[in-house]
Amino acid sequence: MGRAPCCDKANVKKGPWSPEEDSKLKEYIEKKGTGGNWIALPQKAGLKRCGKSCRLRWLNYLRPNIKHGEFSDEEDRIICSLFASIGSRWSIIAAQLPGRTDNDIKNYWNTKLKKKLMGMHMAPPSHHHHHHQRNSLKPPPFPSSSHHNYQNQPLIPSQPLSSLFKDLSSTYNRSFSSGFEIPHLSMTSNNFSNATTNSSLFPTQECLVGSMQVNNYPVKKNSNQNNLLMFGSEGSCSTSSDGSCNQISYDRESNIKQEEMVFQSFDQDQNNQRFMMLNYGNNNSGCSTGSAGHDHHHVINQWCERPDGFDHLGTENTLGYCDLEDVKQLISGGNNLNIGVNGSKSNSLFSNVDENKTEEKVMYFY
DNA sequence: AAACGTGGCAACCGCGGCCAC
DNA sequence: CGTGGCCGCGGTTGCCACGTT
């Protein structure tokens, strides 16, 4: 039933590469190139390896100009801001960092960089040795005062991550308004438009503008609050009560991922709306929890009329923010907003849509 | 000092997408 | 337009070194 193997497993070596294999592969490719066919290459080069293994070894290790060792603050910054905007698309991120491979960056993010950002709020989940444990995610403190001004915070931090983290965590702790609510959101697939922005706020960002609906509860009429900026990867706002939040294994305790992937958006000042998204997670399972038969969209802001308690909330990792004027400018102002729905992953976003529900504008970054 | 836990990475593997036929 | 098969992505696993109990 399964897919045919890409090569003859019996006759193929697996595991770490020996220096001899390395030099064989290197010499062959330097002399003859890959010929555009990795499958045939190992045989031609006299290697008992699967073509994919050769490709990986070459791209991640043998290829010229591979950079190893410490990541600089600048690299940290780039990775962080790109992750904030496009999520875990490591190959794209790697393309911005000469000499780094996607694998390298992925590993670095998962083992170190993420912790730099998360450390104070909670220990990131460990998948090691199947010690999946439900992190007891505590909701953040519920401050009664608000109106913290983060006017001058840049979207892409110019400081090292350590200082970014400090700033944002203190902001975070102080900035909830007293009455914020958790709306349940889903998105509709119609009315999305494609374009590209060159805004200085979001240089070369790709974004998607579309409609947002709030399931079951009316959107507040205050139009200042009708914009929601979502940072994150493709599935960031998938509705998951139907299990369509894909790529998550429900039969494992790795469910925890979903609960960690909570977005927060909040704004305090009616006249000076700020939008902030917090996203924690390592793939496209977004803000849903998907586990309890509800419609789980834990996006925190003053969005709809429903006051709701904390439920499944883990709230970590501030990655970006802007204010309403920025949003407006992007939406109007002749900005082109680019990239539509991208493939099947995003399709799950658009389930559970009731066309009769209130729809509002949303920008969805990925 | 042995067993156990953890971090760091390299490598693996399934899948979606793309393209040639 | 199918369809078969390769490519590359990204989530996951395996392994080793080292720290801790």
Side-chain angles (χ1 to χ4, degrees):
Chain A
M1 265 319 176
R3 182 192 176 77
C6 70
C7 50
D8 179 9
K9 301 282 180 200
N11 226 348
V12 145
K13 182 166 182 277
K14 287 170 59 173
W17 282 65
S18 69
E20 293 75 28
E21 288 177 309
D22 278 351
S23 52
K24 255 188 188 175
L25 181 62
K26 199 152 187 279
E27 276 170 34
Y28 182 85
I29 293 180
E30 278 168 357
K31 217 181 318 167
K32 311 209 168 184
T34 65
N37 185 350
W38 285 106
I39 299 295
L41 189 143
Q43 204 183 7
K44 288 193 259 177
L47 285 163
K48 285 190 163 55
R49 285 275 178 178
C50 171
K52 293 177 78 164
S53 178
C54 294
R55 176 183 164 273
L56 201 71
R57 187 62 180 171
W58 172 255
L59 291 179
N60 285 344
Y61 195 82
L62 298 174
R63 178 165 59 109
N65 304 322
I66 293 290
K67 207 186 282 177
H68 290 107
E70 290 289 294
F71 283 73
S72 65
D73 281 341
E74 173 70 4
E75 286 176 310
D76 281 3
R77 198 176 64 76
I78 293 171
I79 295 168
C80 178
S81 52
L82 283 172
F83 188 92
S85 56
I86 64 173
S88 63
R89 300 206 292 188
W90 306 117
S91 59
I92 295 174
I93 295 174
Q96 306 306 312
L97 299 172
R100 301 293 187 183
T101 70
D102 53 355
N103 208 38
D104 215 15
I105 294 168
K106 178 175 58 180
N107 283 331
Y108 179 59
W109 171 266
N110 285 329
T111 58
K112 293 191 186 154
L113 194 47
K114 192 162 68 176
K115 285 167 199 167
K116 272 195 198 176
L117 287 164
M118 313 280 166
M120 254 168 84
H121 288 314
M122 107 186 189
S126 164
H127 65 270
H128 272 285
H129 304 260
H130 308 283
H131 289 173
H132 291 289
Q133 279 209 334
R134 293 212 149 233
N135 259 320
S136 51
L137 294 173
K138 296 236 172 61
F142 219 120
S144 53
S145 68
S146 58
H147 305 289
H148 182 62
N149 184 3
Y150 9 85
Q151 188 76 39
N152 299 318
Q153 308 257 18
L155 177 67
I156 296 176
S158 56
Q159 317 107 319
L161 283 182
S162 49
S163 56
L164 165 73
F165 175 70
K166 203 167 118 239
D167 280 356
L168 293 182
S169 61
S170 59
T171 294
Y172 164 80
N173 281 329
R174 277 182 273 137
S175 57
F176 284 107
S177 62
S178 56
F180 79 90
E181 301 144 352
I182 304 172
H184 292 179
L185 305 172
S186 63
M187 297 175 75
T188 58
S189 57
N190 52 352
N191 299 327
F192 278 79
S193 59
N194 294 341
T196 330
T197 174
N198 268 328
S199 139
S200 60
L201 181 67
F202 302 113
T204 71
Q205 281 279 10
E206 296 168 335
C207 25
L208 176 69
V209 175
S211 302
M212 169 66 81
Q213 101 182 19
V214 178
N215 282 351
N216 306 323
Y217 301 95
V219 171
K220 282 186 172 175
K221 289 308 169 203
N222 182 342
S223 65
N224 280 341
Q225 298 180 4
N226 288 341
N227 292 292
L228 173 66
L229 251 188
M230 306 193 78
F231 292 84
S233 49
E234 294 168 7
S236 302
C237 47
S238 90
T239 69
S240 61
S241 55
D242 62 351
S244 64
C245 183
N246 52 9
Q247 300 201 343
I248 294 297
S249 0
Y250 291 96
D251 56 341
R252 300 169 53 163
E253 286 189 88
S254 54
N255 262 345
I256 190 68
K257 280 180 188 166
Q258 296 182 348
E259 305 202 358
E260 288 155 358
M261 304 230 185
V262 174
F263 277 82
Q264 296 187 6
S265 160
F266 49 89
D267 46 273
Q268 281 74 44
D269 187 330
Q270 297 292 324
N271 299 315
N272 182 23
Q273 296 287 314
R274 300 294 294 187
F275 294 82
M276 176 173 275
M277 302 303 303
L278 303 178
N279 180 21
Y280 168 57
N282 66 357
N283 67 16
N284 47 17
S285 56
C287 55
S288 51
T289 70
S291 57
H294 308 91
D295 196 12
H296 296 283
H297 293 276
H298 300 295
V299 179
I300 302 175
N301 64 1
Q302 297 182 327
W303 185 281
C304 68
E305 300 291 355
R306 180 187 181 184
D308 203 342
F310 276 103
D311 176 18
H312 296 90
L313 283 184
T315 52
E316 315 300 328
N317 194 11
T318 303
L319 291 172
Y321 37 86
C322 65
D323 64 24
L324 183 61
E325 283 315 301
D326 299 323
V327 179
K328 283 180 177 166
Q329 211 176 338
L330 274 176
I331 292 177
S332 56
N335 291 302
N336 302 315
L337 297 171
N338 191 22
I339 305 285
V341 180
N342 178 23
S344 59
K345 283 180 185 172
S346 295
N347 291 338
S348 68
L349 294 179
F350 307 125
S351 55
N352 296 349
V353 168
D354 179 349
E355 301 294 343
N356 296 320
K357 296 283 166 55
T358 309
E359 291 186 354
E360 299 294 341
K361 203 78 153 174
V362 66
M363 295 181 63
Y364 176 50
F365 283 69
Y366 66 87

